[in-house]
Amino acid sequence: MFSPYYKRSGRGDPLDHASLNVALYGPQHRWVMTERGRGAVERDASNLVIGPSAVRWDGEALTIDIVEGDTRLFVPWQRPVRGRVRVFPEALNRTAFALDGAESHIWHCLAPRARIEVEMSSPGISWSGKAYLDHNRGAEPLETGFNTWHWSRAHLNEGALVCYEGERGDGSLFASALRFGADGVPEPVDLPPIAQLPPSKWRVDRRTRSDIGVAEVRRTWEDTPFYARSELASRFAGEEVVAVQESLDMRRFSSPLVQFMLPYRMPRRAR
């Protein structure tokens, strides 16, 4: 949905603009988002192949086999990024939610709680821990439907809480909070108070929710001209939590400067 090539093409053939995005943070950081054409894409009900990488669902886990190279500004060669990620849902949610009245944008939290196992051979790192799995789809460009959005998710002692809010393209506002039980079933709950966050280094406005109207940015993982992803210390449902938060500004995404910059972070190959 962020592909500059797909945008320029008129968005007629999404399978001709496929990529696997991998973001590793920390001392061994890597960034992967190489777009490939239709000839490099295969899919069926349980499998998706994009170039040399593949994603498959076996009924128990989502397995992601990564065979990619990283992208760095002003560096012409790529470092190999190789490994396997396995996501084990603790519960599956079958209910999807429309983010607009026309139902042009759908969000589906598939697994509000999950386990993850990461085994990377290049760079040589591995870990296991908590995970989350969701899915977005739409019938119109994202920048048509939205000006901004803010999203956050936290594991609770039982289940998880997700907050979603923003401004649609027509200027109307939306906001919701969903608590997912241990069985994955969602239940709307009252929105916690707004907790303002400092802007990112690129001056992207950030916002989240917290029981006490206060949250702390522990780390900013992704900081771009139109998108920021952060780790927060917050409080939801009476619990002290570590939350993942993202803020997106689609007006910035649509600017000529950002569209000029994107290919440097998202190269394209035919296969």
Side-chain angles (χ1 to χ4, degrees):
M1 61 186 176
F2 297 135
S3 166
Y5 316 101
Y6 186 40
K7 182 177 174 68
R8 293 171 195 166
S9 74
R11 295 187 168 99
D13 185 3
L15 288 182
D16 195 40
H17 303 272
S19 66
L20 179 71
N21 181 212
V22 182
L24 298 175
Y25 305 116
Q28 301 268 27
H29 67 277
R30 299 287 191 276
W31 171 266
V32 170
M33 203 169 186
T34 298
E35 180 176 300
R36 291 180 167 87
R38 171 179 277 277
V41 180
E42 300 176 17
R43 64 173 182 164
D44 58 32
S46 302
N47 300 274
L48 173 63
V49 176
I50 303 174
S53 299
V55 182
R56 66 183 184 276
W57 169 252
D58 63 10
E60 177 188 6
L62 184 72
T63 300
I64 307 165
D65 289 316
I66 303 166
V67 184
E68 299 285 344
D70 73 344
T71 303
R72 292 173 288 170
L73 289 176
F74 312 118
V75 178
W77 62 88
Q78 293 183 320
R79 296 171 295 186
V81 181
R82 308 281 190 273
R84 172 172 289 180
V85 175
R86 303 196 74 200
V87 181
F88 299 85
E90 295 179 359
L92 290 172
N93 161 48
R94 299 184 180 276
T95 304
F97 296 89
L99 299 177
D100 64 316
E103 300 187 357
S104 296
H105 300 273
I106 305 297
W107 167 66
H108 189 176
C109 177
L110 296 162
R113 289 180 63 106
R115 293 186 298 107
I116 191 169
E117 296 176 356
V118 180
E119 293 285 345
M120 301 296 298
S121 58
S122 182
I125 53 176
S126 63
W127 74 90
S128 61
K130 299 175 181 178
Y132 166 91
L133 180 64
D134 73 357
H135 162 75
N136 287 79
R137 64 183 185 271
E140 67 179 5
L142 202 60
E143 64 268 29
T144 300
F146 301 95
N147 294 327
T148 60
W149 78 28
H150 309 279
W151 170 94
S152 60
R153 183 271 304 169
H155 277 53
L156 303 175
N157 290 333
E158 293 188 5
L161 184 72
V162 177
C163 295
Y164 223 141
E165 63 186 294
E167 179 182 313
R168 300 186 183 97
D170 62 6
S172 63
L173 304 178
F174 70 98
S176 64
L178 290 171
R179 181 164 185 169
F180 294 86
D183 57 0
V185 176
E187 177 187 1
V189 296
D190 291 339
L191 273 166
I194 292 173
Q196 293 288 353
L197 301 171
S200 70
K201 290 182 179 179
W202 276 99
R203 310 304 295 175
V204 172
D205 288 333
R206 295 185 283 189
R207 178 190 294 180
T208 190
R209 298 278 174 159
S210 170
D211 287 356
I212 56 176
V214 176
E216 176 190 356
V217 178
R218 294 176 48 163
R219 289 182 292 181
T220 298
W221 292 321
E222 204 70 58
D223 191 351
T224 79
F226 67 95
Y227 174 81
R229 180 186 297 143
S230 310
E231 178 189 285
L232 308 180
S234 187
R235 185 176 179 87
F236 285 145
E239 300 178 25
E240 300 293 333
V241 299
V242 175
V244 176
Q245 187 271 346
E246 67 178 19
S247 290
L248 178 66
D249 189 325
M250 292 308 297
R251 294 165 299 190
R252 285 194 175 187
F253 167 78
S254 300
S255 72
L257 178 59
V258 170
Q259 289 299 306
F260 171 79
M261 295 166 62
L262 278 172
Y264 293 97
R265 291 288 278 168
M266 189 177 182
R268 178 175 169 85
R269 294 181 178 176
R271 299 193 62 86

